[in-house]
mmCIF file of all heavy atoms in Angstrom:
data_model
loop_
_atom_site.group_PDB
_atom_site.id
_atom_site.type_symbol
_atom_site.label_atom_id
_atom_site.label_comp_id
_atom_site.label_asym_id
_atom_site.label_seq_id
_atom_site.Cartn_x
_atom_site.Cartn_y
_atom_site.Cartn_z
ATOM 1 N N PHE A 287 -52.476 68.687 -28.219
ATOM 2 C CA PHE A 287 -53.057 69.450 -29.289
ATOM 3 C C PHE A 287 -54.406 68.867 -29.726
ATOM 4 O O PHE A 287 -55.397 69.524 -29.819
ATOM 5 C CB PHE A 287 -52.140 69.500 -30.504
ATOM 6 C CG PHE A 287 -52.795 70.152 -31.761
ATOM 7 C CD1 PHE A 287 -52.775 71.496 -31.898
ATOM 8 C CD2 PHE A 287 -53.412 69.311 -32.655
ATOM 9 C CE1 PHE A 287 -53.459 72.097 -33.025
ATOM 10 C CE2 PHE A 287 -54.022 69.904 -33.797
ATOM 11 C CZ PHE A 287 -54.139 71.295 -34.006
ATOM 12 N N ARG A 288 -54.358 67.513 -29.911
ATOM 13 C CA ARG A 288 -55.629 66.821 -30.247
ATOM 14 C C ARG A 288 -56.701 67.029 -29.067
ATOM 15 O O ARG A 288 -57.832 67.261 -29.360
ATOM 16 C CB ARG A 288 -55.381 65.378 -30.526
ATOM 17 C CG ARG A 288 -56.680 64.546 -30.479
ATOM 18 C CD ARG A 288 -56.544 63.077 -30.740
ATOM 19 N NE ARG A 288 -57.767 62.429 -30.313
ATOM 20 C CZ ARG A 288 -57.920 61.079 -30.528
ATOM 21 N NH1 ARG A 288 -56.999 60.303 -31.148
ATOM 22 N NH2 ARG A 288 -59.059 60.574 -30.141
ATOM 23 N N ARG A 289 -56.159 66.894 -27.861
ATOM 24 C CA ARG A 289 -57.064 66.964 -26.674
ATOM 25 C C ARG A 289 -57.832 68.322 -26.686
ATOM 26 O O ARG A 289 -58.970 68.434 -26.427
ATOM 27 C CB ARG A 289 -56.249 66.822 -25.431
ATOM 28 C CG ARG A 289 -57.132 66.767 -24.121
ATOM 29 C CD ARG A 289 -56.241 66.682 -22.921
ATOM 30 N NE ARG A 289 -55.353 65.541 -22.870
ATOM 31 C CZ ARG A 289 -54.032 65.572 -22.653
ATOM 32 N NH1 ARG A 289 -53.473 66.711 -22.309
ATOM 33 N NH2 ARG A 289 -53.392 64.455 -22.587
ATOM 34 N N ALA A 290 -57.033 69.386 -27.090
ATOM 35 C CA ALA A 290 -57.681 70.706 -27.065
ATOM 36 C C ALA A 290 -58.752 70.791 -28.062
ATOM 37 O O ALA A 290 -59.894 71.303 -27.750
ATOM 38 C CB ALA A 290 -56.589 71.779 -27.314
ATOM 39 N N ILE A 291 -58.556 70.406 -29.291
ATOM 40 C CA ILE A 291 -59.616 70.569 -30.285
ATOM 41 C C ILE A 291 -60.684 69.596 -30.051
ATOM 42 O O ILE A 291 -61.847 69.881 -30.257
ATOM 43 C CB ILE A 291 -59.195 70.577 -31.772
ATOM 44 C CG1 ILE A 291 -58.305 69.418 -32.187
ATOM 45 C CG2 ILE A 291 -58.496 71.837 -32.137
ATOM 46 C CD1 ILE A 291 -58.081 69.321 -33.690
ATOM 47 N N GLN A 292 -60.406 68.392 -29.640
ATOM 48 C CA GLN A 292 -61.394 67.398 -29.353
ATOM 49 C C GLN A 292 -62.343 67.893 -28.195
ATOM 50 O O GLN A 292 -63.565 67.816 -28.276
ATOM 51 C CB GLN A 292 -60.851 66.042 -29.020
ATOM 52 C CG GLN A 292 -61.857 64.886 -28.936
ATOM 53 C CD GLN A 292 -61.217 63.501 -28.739
ATOM 54 O OE1 GLN A 292 -60.092 63.284 -29.076
ATOM 55 N NE2 GLN A 292 -61.955 62.624 -28.082
ATOM 56 N N TYR A 293 -61.755 68.520 -27.220
ATOM 57 C CA TYR A 293 -62.464 69.056 -26.083
ATOM 58 C C TYR A 293 -63.381 70.225 -26.579
ATOM 59 O O TYR A 293 -64.534 70.307 -26.231
ATOM 60 C CB TYR A 293 -61.549 69.525 -24.971
ATOM 61 C CG TYR A 293 -62.261 70.114 -23.817
ATOM 62 C CD1 TYR A 293 -63.178 69.396 -23.006
ATOM 63 C CD2 TYR A 293 -62.029 71.436 -23.367
ATOM 64 C CE1 TYR A 293 -63.835 69.870 -21.892
ATOM 65 C CE2 TYR A 293 -62.684 71.992 -22.319
ATOM 66 C CZ TYR A 293 -63.581 71.213 -21.529
ATOM 67 O OH TYR A 293 -64.244 71.701 -20.500
ATOM 68 N N ALA A 294 -62.792 71.126 -27.397
ATOM 69 C CA ALA A 294 -63.511 72.225 -27.894
ATOM 70 C C ALA A 294 -64.699 71.742 -28.694
ATOM 71 O O ALA A 294 -65.878 72.342 -28.512
ATOM 72 C CB ALA A 294 -62.622 73.088 -28.869
ATOM 73 N N ILE A 295 -64.600 70.744 -29.484
ATOM 74 C CA ILE A 295 -65.740 70.282 -30.307
ATOM 75 C C ILE A 295 -66.774 69.600 -29.363
ATOM 76 O O ILE A 295 -67.965 69.774 -29.645
ATOM 77 C CB ILE A 295 -65.232 69.338 -31.396
ATOM 78 C CG1 ILE A 295 -64.349 70.033 -32.438
ATOM 79 C CG2 ILE A 295 -66.374 68.596 -32.126
ATOM 80 C CD1 ILE A 295 -63.591 69.185 -33.412
ATOM 81 N N SER A 296 -66.257 68.936 -28.375
ATOM 82 C CA SER A 296 -67.192 68.267 -27.449
ATOM 83 C C SER A 296 -68.149 69.191 -26.759
ATOM 84 O O SER A 296 -69.214 68.793 -26.196
ATOM 85 C CB SER A 296 -66.448 67.372 -26.458
ATOM 86 O OG SER A 296 -65.969 68.156 -25.396
ATOM 87 N N LEU A 297 -67.832 70.470 -26.685
ATOM 88 C CA LEU A 297 -68.634 71.544 -26.033
ATOM 89 C C LEU A 297 -69.857 71.868 -26.838
ATOM 90 O O LEU A 297 -70.716 72.541 -26.396
ATOM 91 C CB LEU A 297 -67.802 72.699 -25.664
ATOM 92 C CG LEU A 297 -66.656 72.644 -24.677
ATOM 93 C CD1 LEU A 297 -65.925 73.928 -24.509
ATOM 94 C CD2 LEU A 297 -67.169 71.998 -23.359
ATOM 95 N N GLY A 298 -69.894 71.478 -28.107
ATOM 96 C CA GLY A 298 -70.989 71.708 -28.979
ATOM 97 C C GLY A 298 -71.077 73.159 -29.399
ATOM 98 O O GLY A 298 -70.156 73.934 -29.341
ATOM 99 N N GLY A 299 -72.305 73.552 -29.824
ATOM 100 C CA GLY A 299 -72.518 74.890 -30.287
ATOM 101 C C GLY A 299 -71.735 75.256 -31.601
ATOM 102 O O GLY A 299 -71.806 74.412 -32.521
ATOM 103 N N ASP A 300 -71.071 76.329 -31.585
ATOM 104 C CA ASP A 300 -70.313 76.723 -32.826
ATOM 105 C C ASP A 300 -69.030 75.978 -32.943
ATOM 106 O O ASP A 300 -67.844 76.560 -32.754
ATOM 107 C CB ASP A 300 -70.100 78.261 -32.742
ATOM 108 C CG ASP A 300 -69.565 78.813 -34.099
ATOM 109 O OD1 ASP A 300 -69.489 78.021 -35.067
ATOM 110 O OD2 ASP A 300 -69.332 79.995 -34.143
ATOM 111 N N THR A 301 -69.122 74.634 -33.175
ATOM 112 C CA THR A 301 -67.915 73.785 -33.069
ATOM 113 C C THR A 301 -66.830 74.030 -34.016
ATOM 114 O O THR A 301 -65.687 73.912 -33.721
ATOM 115 C CB THR A 301 -68.399 72.262 -33.190
ATOM 116 O OG1 THR A 301 -69.296 72.216 -34.309
ATOM 117 C CG2 THR A 301 -69.149 71.755 -31.992
ATOM 118 N N ASP A 302 -67.181 74.389 -35.336
ATOM 119 C CA ASP A 302 -66.107 74.608 -36.311
ATOM 120 C C ASP A 302 -65.300 75.880 -35.821
ATOM 121 O O ASP A 302 -64.043 75.773 -35.846
ATOM 122 C CB ASP A 302 -66.664 74.806 -37.710
ATOM 123 C CG ASP A 302 -67.538 76.021 -37.882
ATOM 124 O OD1 ASP A 302 -68.086 76.498 -36.900
ATOM 125 O OD2 ASP A 302 -67.753 76.389 -39.032
ATOM 126 N N THR A 303 -65.961 76.891 -35.371
ATOM 127 C CA THR A 303 -65.215 78.039 -35.052
ATOM 128 C C THR A 303 -64.480 77.919 -33.767
ATOM 129 O O THR A 303 -63.335 78.458 -33.639
ATOM 130 C CB THR A 303 -66.212 79.270 -34.988
ATOM 131 O OG1 THR A 303 -66.961 79.247 -36.318
ATOM 132 C CG2 THR A 303 -65.602 80.564 -34.805
ATOM 133 N N ILE A 304 -65.112 77.368 -32.710
ATOM 134 C CA ILE A 304 -64.354 77.260 -31.483
ATOM 135 C C ILE A 304 -63.248 76.268 -31.632
ATOM 136 O O ILE A 304 -62.156 76.404 -31.071
ATOM 137 C CB ILE A 304 -65.327 76.903 -30.267
ATOM 138 C CG1 ILE A 304 -66.446 78.016 -30.180
ATOM 139 C CG2 ILE A 304 -64.614 76.742 -28.961
ATOM 140 C CD1 ILE A 304 -67.486 77.741 -29.186
ATOM 141 N N GLY A 305 -63.493 75.192 -32.403
ATOM 142 C CA GLY A 305 -62.468 74.219 -32.735
ATOM 143 C C GLY A 305 -61.268 74.958 -33.467
ATOM 144 O O GLY A 305 -60.084 74.689 -33.186
ATOM 145 N N SER A 306 -61.630 75.758 -34.448
ATOM 146 C CA SER A 306 -60.623 76.441 -35.193
ATOM 147 C C SER A 306 -59.848 77.440 -34.404
ATOM 148 O O SER A 306 -58.553 77.464 -34.479
ATOM 149 C CB SER A 306 -61.304 77.162 -36.437
ATOM 150 O OG SER A 306 -60.345 77.849 -37.200
ATOM 151 N N MET A 307 -60.499 78.226 -33.568
ATOM 152 C CA MET A 307 -59.749 79.179 -32.777
ATOM 153 C C MET A 307 -58.828 78.531 -31.730
ATOM 154 O O MET A 307 -57.766 78.933 -31.484
ATOM 155 C CB MET A 307 -60.792 80.158 -32.091
ATOM 156 C CG MET A 307 -61.574 80.975 -33.059
ATOM 157 S SD MET A 307 -62.523 82.373 -32.340
ATOM 158 C CE MET A 307 -63.688 81.379 -31.272
ATOM 159 N N THR A 308 -59.392 77.428 -31.162
ATOM 160 C CA THR A 308 -58.577 76.587 -30.180
ATOM 161 C C THR A 308 -57.331 76.057 -30.980
ATOM 162 O O THR A 308 -56.265 76.109 -30.373
ATOM 163 C CB THR A 308 -59.354 75.481 -29.571
ATOM 164 O OG1 THR A 308 -60.546 76.013 -28.957
ATOM 165 C CG2 THR A 308 -58.625 74.592 -28.569
ATOM 166 N N GLY A 309 -57.546 75.569 -32.146
ATOM 167 C CA GLY A 309 -56.496 74.977 -32.954
ATOM 168 C C GLY A 309 -55.413 75.982 -33.269
ATOM 169 O O GLY A 309 -54.250 75.593 -33.262
ATOM 170 N N ALA A 310 -55.857 77.133 -33.662
ATOM 171 C CA ALA A 310 -54.872 78.223 -33.951
ATOM 172 C C ALA A 310 -53.909 78.611 -32.799
ATOM 173 O O ALA A 310 -52.769 78.820 -32.959
ATOM 174 C CB ALA A 310 -55.594 79.454 -34.525
ATOM 175 N N ILE A 311 -54.521 78.620 -31.590
ATOM 176 C CA ILE A 311 -53.815 78.958 -30.370
ATOM 177 C C ILE A 311 -52.903 77.839 -30.009
ATOM 178 O O ILE A 311 -51.700 77.973 -29.740
ATOM 179 C CB ILE A 311 -54.739 79.232 -29.196
ATOM 180 C CG1 ILE A 311 -55.715 80.452 -29.446
ATOM 181 C CG2 ILE A 311 -53.933 79.578 -27.979
ATOM 182 C CD1 ILE A 311 -56.833 80.599 -28.469
ATOM 183 N N ALA A 312 -53.518 76.563 -30.080
ATOM 184 C CA ALA A 312 -52.646 75.413 -29.654
ATOM 185 C C ALA A 312 -51.563 75.124 -30.558
ATOM 186 O O ALA A 312 -50.399 74.797 -30.225
ATOM 187 C CB ALA A 312 -53.624 74.196 -29.481
ATOM 188 N N GLY A 313 -51.875 75.203 -31.880
ATOM 189 C CA GLY A 313 -50.881 75.033 -32.947
ATOM 190 C C GLY A 313 -49.731 76.021 -32.806
ATOM 191 O O GLY A 313 -48.549 75.711 -33.062
ATOM 192 N N ALA A 314 -50.051 77.267 -32.445
ATOM 193 C CA ALA A 314 -49.056 78.326 -32.344
ATOM 194 C C ALA A 314 -48.107 77.976 -31.066
ATOM 195 O O ALA A 314 -46.933 78.353 -31.089
ATOM 196 C CB ALA A 314 -49.671 79.644 -32.130
ATOM 197 N N TYR A 315 -48.655 77.298 -30.175
ATOM 198 C CA TYR A 315 -47.893 76.953 -28.942
ATOM 199 C C TYR A 315 -47.077 75.683 -29.234
ATOM 200 O O TYR A 315 -45.840 75.718 -29.030
ATOM 201 C CB TYR A 315 -48.841 76.685 -27.775
ATOM 202 C CG TYR A 315 -48.145 76.302 -26.529
ATOM 203 C CD1 TYR A 315 -47.341 77.159 -25.872
ATOM 204 C CD2 TYR A 315 -48.268 75.018 -25.990
ATOM 205 C CE1 TYR A 315 -46.567 76.900 -24.695
ATOM 206 C CE2 TYR A 315 -47.530 74.608 -24.842
ATOM 207 C CZ TYR A 315 -46.689 75.579 -24.240
ATOM 208 O OH TYR A 315 -46.013 75.177 -23.092
ATOM 209 N N TYR A 316 -47.695 74.623 -29.625
ATOM 210 C CA TYR A 316 -46.958 73.375 -29.822
ATOM 211 C C TYR A 316 -46.193 73.205 -31.134
ATOM 212 O O TYR A 316 -45.135 72.476 -31.147
ATOM 213 C CB TYR A 316 -47.937 72.181 -29.805
ATOM 214 C CG TYR A 316 -48.664 72.018 -28.471
ATOM 215 C CD1 TYR A 316 -50.024 72.298 -28.311
ATOM 216 C CD2 TYR A 316 -48.004 71.579 -27.328
ATOM 217 C CE1 TYR A 316 -50.714 72.146 -27.134
ATOM 218 C CE2 TYR A 316 -48.605 71.448 -26.155
ATOM 219 C CZ TYR A 316 -50.046 71.815 -26.008
ATOM 220 O OH TYR A 316 -50.601 71.720 -24.860
ATOM 221 N N GLY A 317 -46.608 73.870 -32.166
ATOM 222 C CA GLY A 317 -45.984 73.690 -33.436
ATOM 223 C C GLY A 317 -46.537 72.489 -34.191
ATOM 224 O O GLY A 317 -47.333 71.664 -33.670
ATOM 225 N N GLU A 318 -46.058 72.387 -35.435
ATOM 226 C CA GLU A 318 -46.541 71.340 -36.387
ATOM 227 C C GLU A 318 -46.342 69.914 -35.855
ATOM 228 O O GLU A 318 -47.072 69.041 -36.154
ATOM 229 C CB GLU A 318 -45.827 71.572 -37.674
ATOM 230 C CG GLU A 318 -46.392 70.734 -38.808
ATOM 231 C CD GLU A 318 -45.528 70.865 -40.130
ATOM 232 O OE1 GLU A 318 -44.368 71.267 -39.997
ATOM 233 O OE2 GLU A 318 -46.046 70.527 -41.114
#
Side-chain angles (χ1 to χ4, degrees):
F287 172 84
R288 167 179 164 175
R289 188 185 299 131
I291 53 172
Q292 191 175 330
Y293 181 61
I295 294 168
S296 78
L297 297 180
D300 191 3
T301 46
D302 61 342
T303 304
I304 301 175
S306 179
M307 295 191 298
T308 303
I311 301 167
Y315 180 69
Y316 295 111
E318 190 186 17

